Amino acid sequence: MPTRARERLMQAAEDLFYAEGIQSVGVERLLAVSGVGRASFYRHFASKDSLVIAVLQHRDEHWRAWLESTVTAHGGGPLAVFDALAEGADNPGFRGCAFINAVAETASPRSDVHRLATEHKSRVTDFLDHLIEEAGHPRHQELAEQFALLMDGAIVTAMREQTGEPARRARKIAEILLA
C-alpha cells in the first residue's frame, strides 16, 4: 500500500500544481484529494518542496516522452515540434508549461525548481538539436536554441489565448529560420 500512497500523492500533486499553481495548493488539499494521510505523506516526502521536486522530475520525463512520440506522429521533422505544441495547446486542460509556471512562482534562481526547469529546457533543446541536425542543417545548435525560444513563446501565448494558434504561427517563423 505505501507505493500506491506515493503514486496517489504524485498524481494529485501533478494535477493540482498544473491546474492551480504550486503556491496555491497546500498540503491539506493534497491529502484530501489524494486520500493519503499526513503520516503517509511525510513517510514519502520530507516536505511539500520535496514533493514539488519529485513531481517536476516526473513531469520532465513524461512530457519529453510525449513530445517525442507526438513529433513522430506528426512526421518527425523539426517543424513537427510546433504541430505537437499546437495539438497540446488545443486540449481543454492546457495550462502552459509546468516548468515555466513553476519558475514564475519561485523567486530564487538558485532554487531546486529553477535548476530542474533549466535542466528540462536544456533536454528539450538537445532534442531539437538532434531533430534539426538529422534534417541536415549545419547551424543545428543555433537553430535549436531559436526553436526553443519560439516554443516557450508559443506556449505562453497559447496559455493566454487558450488555443494552439500561437504554435502554428511559431511554426511559420521556424520555417523561415530553416530556409
Side-chain angles (χ1 to χ4, degrees):
M1 187 75 161
T3 303
R4 287 202 20 92
R6 180 181 172 81
E7 289 170 4
R8 288 195 324 260
L9 281 164
M10 289 283 293
Q11 189 61 60
E14 186 167 2
D15 293 347
L16 290 170
F17 293 162
Y18 186 68
E20 300 175 17
I22 293 167
Q23 299 301 323
S24 67
V25 176
V27 172
E28 293 303 320
R29 180 100 188 281
L30 288 165
L31 297 177
V33 170
S34 68
V36 173
R38 182 175 301 283
S40 186
F41 175 92
Y42 287 109
R43 195 172 16 257
H44 294 287
F45 301 100
S47 64
K48 179 183 165 187
D49 288 344
S50 64
L51 174 60
V52 169
I53 297 306
V55 165
L56 288 175
Q57 289 169 332
H58 177 263
R59 184 75 174 202
D60 170 57
E61 294 171 14
H62 181 260
W63 192 86
R64 286 185 302 109
W66 170 85
L67 180 64
E68 289 180 28
S69 67
T70 308
V71 164
T72 299
H74 283 278
L79 295 174
V81 168
F82 298 98
D83 299 329
L85 290 181
E87 181 181 314
D90 281 333
N91 286 326
F94 179 75
R95 293 267 304 126
C97 170
F99 293 89
I100 292 172
N101 297 347
V103 166
E105 290 191 59
T106 306
S108 173
R110 292 181 301 280
S111 71
D112 286 335
V113 167
H114 195 276
R115 176 186 54 79
L116 287 171
T118 300
E119 290 170 1
H120 169 75
K121 294 300 180 180
S122 177
R123 288 182 194 110
V124 171
T125 303
D126 289 345
F127 173 66
L128 294 168
D129 182 49
H130 174 74
L131 287 175
I132 296 167
E133 183 179 27
E134 276 194 345
H137 293 278
R139 297 180 8 248
H140 54 89
Q141 188 172 19
E142 176 187 350
L143 287 167
E145 291 172 6
Q146 293 170 346
F147 272 41
L149 183 61
L150 278 174
M151 286 175 66
D152 282 350
I155 289 168
V156 170
T157 305
M159 188 169 73
R160 187 185 75 237
E161 294 180 6
Q162 293 297 291
T163 177
E165 284 306 311
R168 289 184 264 284
R169 292 192 306 263
R171 187 187 200 281
K172 291 177 183 176
I173 298 167
E175 287 174 6
I176 295 167
L177 292 173
L178 291 176

